[in-house]
Each structure stands twice: as C-alpha cells, then as structure tokens.
Amino acid sequence: MDIYLVCLIVGGGLLAVSLFGGHHGDAAGHDGDLHDVASWFSLRALVSFAAFFGLAGVLAGLLGLGGAGRLVVALVTGLGVGAFTALAFSVARTRGEVSGGAGRLAGRTGKVIVPPAPARPGKVAVTVAGQIEHALAHSDDALRPGDAVIVIGTRGGVLDVKAWDGREGL
C-alpha cells in the first residue's frame, strides 16, 4: 500500500467523521487569525491536506503519472485544499459563524447535561450560530440536569457557568 492510499483512507475517514459526526470544535483548540502561522496547522487543515493529498496522488497514479509528477500533483492539491480550509475557517471564526474556543462562549446561555461537582467538571450544551456545542463546565452553583446556565468565562479551557433565570442582569 502506498503513502497516497494511506493518506486517502486515514484523511478521508477523519474528514467523513468530522462532516457526518457533528461539530465538536477544533481539537487543536487554537483561535488564531490569518497572520498566525499556527492557525494554518489546525486539525481541520491537516486532515483536509491528508485527504486531498492522498486523493490526488491516487488519481494521478491511475492516470499514469509516476514519481515526481505524482508527488507534485498530490502536494499542490493537498496544500491548496489545506490552505483553503484554514482560510475559510479563519474567516468564519472572525465573523462569529464558527466557535473559535471556549472564551467566545462568554455571555451565551445553555442547559446542564451533567452537573458539575467540586472535584470534577460537568457538561453543558450551549447554542452557537444555530448549532449545539457540548462543553465541560465548572460552577460554584448547585446545578441539576436541565438547569439553565450562563457562561461567565473560562478556567483552563473549561467553561465557568452560573445558574441563570433568564433576566438580563447577573
């Protein structure tokens, strides 16, 4: 089995899981902008690169290209799609269409799924841009499943939430 087929299977599989498995954020957890080099190496961009590098390499091989020609086609395609993916998500994040991290959830409301305890975080569901995002959460309030909460910040990447009764003031 060659490297192109492996990249197509692994990258394509991960891409399919991310497309059909729901949105759970970017595992890289990085909230970069276009000028931040690390934002170009997000998990989404790397998976897109691998899938399309593999696809282009396999197709180039089927068309009779070999060696360097096949590698160039695969690299150009993979880098192009990976860069486009990074750019598209960066633009969407700056427009508020995609959650860029837990810090951007401050002020959002949600519901408790698993109540937090003093020794461990719980889990809450928060709606962002029409999608429900599940996130770990700490709270000083006694919460039960189904309780409404408001996100007041983050601590170590985990949401800090308080009980919310629907009124504007906290």
Side-chain angles (χ1 to χ4, degrees):
M1 191 177 305
D2 69 3
I3 188 70
Y4 303 108
L5 188 56
V6 170
C7 286
L8 176 59
I9 292 169
V10 173
L14 290 171
L15 191 60
V17 167
S18 72
L19 290 174
F20 301 114
H23 174 70
H24 298 291
D26 194 350
H30 186 75
D31 189 20
D33 61 17
L34 291 176
H35 304 292
D36 188 355
V37 174
S39 70
W40 292 91
F41 294 98
S42 70
L43 186 58
R44 285 183 180 109
L46 293 174
V47 167
S48 296
F49 167 82
F52 284 90
F53 171 85
L55 178 63
V58 168
L59 291 176
L62 292 174
L63 292 173
L65 287 176
R70 190 175 178 194
L71 179 61
V72 168
V73 168
L75 280 173
V76 168
T77 303
L79 289 171
V81 172
F84 176 78
T85 300
L87 176 65
F89 275 93
S90 181
V91 169
R93 209 176 353 266
T94 59
R95 292 182 178 176
E97 297 168 5
V98 175
S99 172
R104 293 197 169 206
L105 297 177
R108 304 270 184 179
T109 59
K111 297 259 186 229
V112 175
I113 298 170
V114 177
R120 64 157 176 77
K123 193 171 194 179
V124 296
V126 180
T127 303
V128 178
Q131 288 192 329
I132 297 174
E133 293 198 22
H134 293 208
L136 295 177
H138 291 289
S139 183
D140 294 331
D141 298 339
L143 299 171
R144 297 182 310 274
D147 284 353
V149 292
I150 187 164
V151 179
I152 58 172
T154 62
R155 286 188 271 167
V158 178
L159 300 181
D160 192 11
V161 300
K162 292 187 93 31
W164 188 63
D165 62 6
R167 292 184 287 170
E168 287 295 318
L170 291 176

